[in-house]
Amino acid sequence: MPTTPPPIPPPTGPGSPQDVPPPRGSVPIDPATLPQPIRDELQAPDPVAIDTSAAELKDGLNRCPKCGSTEIRQKPGTDLLICQYCRHEWHGEGVEEEFGLGEGIDQLQGTVIASGAKDIKADTASLMTFKCPGCGAEVTVNTANAMTARCHWCRHVFGVNEQVPNGAVPDAVLPFHIKKDDAVARISQFVDKRRLFALKAFKEQFTPENVVPVYLPYMIVDGNASAAVAGHGEIETRCYTQGSDDKKKTYYDADVYQVERQIDFTVDDLPLESSSERGNLDTRANTNNIINTILPFDTKNAVKWNASYLAGITSEKRDMDVEKLRPRLEDELLSIARAQVEKSVSRFDRGVRWEQEQLSVHGTRWVSMYLPVWLYSYHQPGPNGGMLHYIAVNGRTGETMGSVPVEQWKLLMAALTVGTFLEAIALFLVGHSS
Amino acid sequence: MSSDGGMWLLALGPAGATGLYWALYRYYRNTDKSHDFEHETAVVAKPVTGSERDQKVDEVKGTQEKRISGDNVRQYRQRVKRIQGDSG
Ligand SMILES: [Zn+2]
Ligand SMILES: [Zn+2]
């Protein structure tokens, strides 16, 4: 029986974010076999949307096209902007039409990169980036409407001398849709289902109202590609048992095939983290996979970049360019191709071992975009600077995922108790059978 | 039940303890979660080709393995030998 906790899962392979994720809501163990308190926690209902129309978000401070007033709000629960003065309602300029996104993907050739900084209409001089002395993150603030800001990761408050030259400005922004009350409720529900073994300090300090809205930088990529895979597959031809009683063993005969498949395909709006820090999904060092999990967003509804959208909301600088992200894109395109050909090899009932793969990317189109995330963070002290845990809520769909720090000894005790109980049954059975 | 068939039961305790530890750890920390881009991305694909060239090359007799060795048909993210194409 283990006396020390099993090691943290590796950054790649089974149990890591690089593994194909388990189906939504699945638990790898049958809750019916567990003690009542654990079962209750696992089987508690999942977070549901709670839509309260009280709080408003202050993004969207451009001028009303009808009366010129700057008293503009996002109409709660919609993508519309509304003028507080004349009640005129309108939709922000969509990037979908502007850049012709989503169209002619199968005709894409070469690399098309949206203008990034060139077409900006709003004044970006008021955008300042600060380097957080608390955790090292680079946080962008629109100083036109906010002179102070907090780091959304560690809540450190910035001073002017922490300013660094501003970085990249995106092509588009997807406005928040989920309101703060809703995000708070979702985060509370997420944690309520994970209290039994949560770190004591985390539970004591848990204040979901501390959730902050953040725009995180992504590259939204369309691609036109072809892929080919080759390997071996097996079809069972005979299944038989030999030996008697408990020495019985099952044997299989199979035909082995050389298998090849090709596929031409396009992908529409594949999101890639364009901050190298957020794109690093090493679960031993960070919990960035939590933010990755709340993808995708309805990026088709993004509007053209306008600094006014940052009112009261911090954001993060993009530091990955297209060439640096290309390997990530190719990796994901290969994974998509492999998923796409799976059905075509279903006749190989003993599975397929792909041995070679090939990818030809004919064309790609890249748009840099800010996506809205509600973020609750908790810093767990420990060696190497400890670990930052996040609970993140997709600012459009409300999808919620989080990392709750565990009280190691409690979890071990529960595991050992259940293990000891099982062992007692095993000893009983073995003792009575020989 | 013979001694051979029963001794494996002794692994029940350690296996149960480790299994429960991992299941709960992942439930809290969600280290195994990530964006399921393979299924949540809008993909338009032409029909898959190549099945007409499936060719029997060998036979396996009397193996106890339930699946082909190195089965990775559902391990989409497991990269195998990359043959260079004309990426551009
Ligand atoms: Zn107006
Ligand atoms: Zn910070």
Side-chain angles (χ1 to χ4, degrees):
Chain A
M1 213 156 289
T3 50
T4 50
I8 296 292
T12 58
S16 79
Q18 268 68 35
D19 198 15
V20 177
R24 255 160 231 271
S26 66
V27 182
I29 214 161
D30 179 11
T33 61
L34 297 173
Q36 192 64 42
I38 302 178
R39 200 194 312 176
D40 289 346
E41 191 173 83
L42 288 176
Q43 293 181 332
D46 276 322
V48 289
I50 292 172
D51 204 62
T52 49
S53 45
E56 323 119 316
L57 277 162
K58 289 186 190 120
D59 50 359
L61 269 170
N62 20 10
R63 289 186 178 274
C64 169
K66 221 169 181 180
C67 73
S69 161
T70 53
E71 287 289 301
I72 292 159
R73 299 281 156 85
Q74 186 186 357
K75 194 179 180 188
T78 72
D79 289 344
L80 293 176
L81 297 172
I82 181 164
C83 172
Q84 303 289 94
Y85 189 74
C86 75
R87 311 309 292 176
H88 178 60
E89 289 178 17
W90 71 100
H91 198 284
E93 261 182 284
V95 281
E96 184 75 7
E97 305 84 62
E98 177 73 20
F99 298 108
L101 305 181
E103 279 168 30
I105 301 176
D106 56 343
Q107 305 299 318
L108 275 181
Q109 296 289 333
T111 304
V112 180
I113 303 174
S115 49
K118 201 171 69 191
D119 286 339
I120 299 160
K121 278 186 180 170
D123 178 23
T124 55
S126 52
L127 273 190
M128 288 181 183
T129 301
F130 297 86
K131 189 168 179 66
C132 174
C135 69
E138 292 196 350
V139 172
T140 305
V141 179
N142 184 357
T143 50
N145 1 57
M147 286 317 290
T148 59
R150 265 172 201 275
C151 170
H152 40 258
W153 307 106
C154 71
R155 302 200 199 101
H156 172 84
V157 179
F158 298 116
V160 173
N161 48 4
E162 282 144 6
Q163 186 192 343
V164 297
N166 189 37
V169 168
D171 294 300
V173 57
L174 187 60
F176 274 85
H177 207 146
I178 295 289
K179 284 161 253 153
K180 180 168 182 175
D181 292 12
D182 193 345
V184 168
R186 285 166 195 267
I187 290 167
S188 305
Q189 282 174 307
F190 188 90
V191 171
D192 279 344
K193 283 195 71 180
R194 289 163 181 82
R195 282 190 175 271
L196 229 41
F197 302 106
L199 195 70
K200 192 159 169 267
F202 171 84
K203 281 193 281 190
E204 283 168 358
Q205 293 169 34
F206 181 62
T207 37
E209 292 73 23
N210 279 346
V211 64
V212 288
V214 188
Y215 281 120
L216 293 180
Y218 288 82
M219 283 286 194
I220 307 301
V221 191
D222 292 339
N224 174 17
S226 301
V229 277
H232 289 87
E234 285 184 8
I235 300 177
E236 186 182 303
T237 51
R238 193 167 156 239
C239 168
Y240 50 98
T241 51
Q242 280 181 354
S244 53
D245 300 328
D246 54 288
K247 292 277 202 309
K248 221 181 245 176
K249 287 197 168 102
T250 306
Y251 296 88
Y252 305 91
D253 289 353
D255 286 345
V256 182
Y257 284 78
Q258 166 76 34
V259 187
E260 290 172 25
R261 293 290 183 271
Q262 297 84 31
I263 184 170
D264 297 327
F265 65 105
T266 63
V267 295
D268 189 0
D269 282 13
L270 189 66
L272 301 176
E273 284 93 0
S274 60
S275 148
S276 53
E277 170 124 32
R278 289 324 136 208
N280 171 12
L281 304 188
D282 181 350
T283 48
R284 289 171 309 178
N286 62 58
T287 61
N288 287 330
N289 70 300
I290 296 304
I291 300 167
N292 180 263
T293 305
I294 64 168
L295 294 169
F297 286 77
D298 55 332
T299 43
K300 294 285 171 217
N301 295 315
V303 293
K304 274 177 82 176
W305 166 253
N306 182 324
S308 309
Y309 278 107
L310 255 73
I313 299 175
T314 56
S315 59
E316 210 148 298
K317 202 174 81 169
R318 166 169 81 85
D319 65 353
M320 299 273 277
D321 59 21
V322 168
E323 288 314 312
K324 261 172 125 180
L325 282 165
R326 209 182 279 278
R328 265 278 306 287
L329 173 70
E330 294 190 356
D331 188 45
E332 296 202 356
L333 289 177
L334 279 167
S335 301
I336 288 171
R338 289 265 295 274
Q340 289 285 324
V341 301
E342 185 188 341
K343 263 203 230 97
S344 77
V345 294
S346 55
R347 61 183 287 231
F348 299 101
D349 52 5
R350 285 174 49 81
V352 175
R353 176 182 66 247
W354 295 122
E355 291 149 354
Q356 297 180 334
E357 55 195 359
Q358 183 181 39
L359 179 73
S360 300
V361 181
H362 312 303
T364 49
R365 180 164 51 205
W366 303 69
V367 173
S368 139
M369 196 181 287
Y370 270 168
L371 297 180
V373 177
W374 285 101
L375 211 56
Y376 179 83
S377 62
Y378 172 80
H379 181 257
Q380 179 183 17
N384 301 322
M387 178 80 89
L388 253 184
H389 296 270
Y390 316 129
I391 301 168
V393 180
N394 182 313
R396 299 287 295 187
T397 65
E399 181 173 353
T400 303
M401 186 41 72
S403 167
V404 173
V406 292
E407 196 78 78
Q408 205 81 255
W409 69 267
K410 265 193 180 180
L411 191 48
L412 268 179
M413 284 300 291
L416 288 177
T417 307
V418 171
T420 306
F421 178 71
L422 289 173
E423 192 67 10
I425 296 176
L427 285 171
F428 175 84
L429 289 175
V430 170
H432 279 72
S433 64
S434 44
Chain B
M1 202 180 291
S2 78
S3 57
D4 181 45
M7 289 314 272
W8 65 269
L9 275 170
L10 294 179
L12 202 61
T18 311
L20 179 64
Y21 180 93
W22 270 119
L24 289 174
Y25 183 87
R26 286 198 185 141
Y27 179 68
Y28 276 64
R29 296 274 277 100
N30 289 299
T31 53
D32 53 341
K33 302 295 192 303
S34 61
H35 172 35
D36 187 9
F37 58 85
E38 290 94 342
H39 300 112
E40 294 184 348
T41 304
V43 174
V44 177
K46 293 196 183 130
V48 177
T49 59
S51 54
E52 68 284 354
R53 289 196 303 279
D54 287 348
Q55 201 184 348
K56 185 175 161 184
V57 290
D58 201 2
E59 278 179 26
V60 175
K61 294 279 182 215
T63 177
Q64 285 186 260
E65 298 293 330
K66 284 196 177 72
R67 306 278 295 176
I68 189 172
S69 77
D71 177 29
N72 57 10
V73 70
R74 287 183 206 108
Q75 295 302 314
Y76 320 124
R77 298 187 189 178
Q78 196 187 95
R79 293 278 72 86
V80 295
K81 188 176 177 2
R82 174 103 176 250
I83 308 295
Q84 281 310 313
D86 53 334
S87 280

